[in-house]
Amino acid sequence: MKKIYSLILLTVMAFSTYAATVTVVSVGNTFSPSTINVSVGDSIQFNITNAHDVVEVSMATYNANGNTSNGGFTLPFGGGNLNGLAAGTYYYVCTPHAAGGMKGTITVTAAPP
């Protein structure tokens, strides 16, 4: 019985050590937090109102407060869960409110070995 308990405990510890979830909410016409730092394998949960969506854009579009998708991730109005991002920097906006600056960045780093 001790072996089974130890195996279960190690399995739970392994999963809880490496995966995290960051929650983003909408506050008026802003994302909070707007700057997200996660590791590969982590999840980002967007709990935003039905007036907002999430669309990945290029850095140039982000800097210009534009809303043209670069073909990357999208989440519908009301949000959802974002998983499986590779290491890198991602820029995202709310399409109806990008001109007003409703945008954010996600920096994903490789998990330590």
Side-chain angles (χ1 to χ4, degrees), residues 24-109:
V24 178
V25 298
S26 53
V27 178
N29 287 340
T30 62
F31 291 111
S32 180
S34 61
T35 302
I36 303 165
N37 296 298
V38 294
S39 297
V40 169
D42 290 346
S43 297
I44 304 165
Q45 177 67 43
F46 283 85
N47 292 336
I48 54 180
T49 68
N50 287 333
H52 306 297
D53 64 350
V54 179
V55 176
E56 183 182 355
V57 297
S58 69
M59 182 170 53
T61 300
Y62 175 88
N63 288 336
N65 288 338
N67 65 3
T68 303
S69 171
N70 68 353
F73 62 79
T74 62
L75 294 173
F77 287 88
N81 199 29
L82 186 57
N83 297 313
L85 294 177
T89 300
Y90 300 85
Y91 303 89
Y92 65 93
V93 300
C94 169
T95 53
H97 302 108
M102 188 169 188
K103 59 187 184 176
T105 60
I106 302 169
T107 302
V108 182
T109 55

Side-chain angles (χ1 to χ4, degrees), residues 15-28:
F15 282 109
S16 65
T17 302
Y18 295 112
T21 300
V22 174
T23 301
V24 178
V25 298
S26 53
V27 178

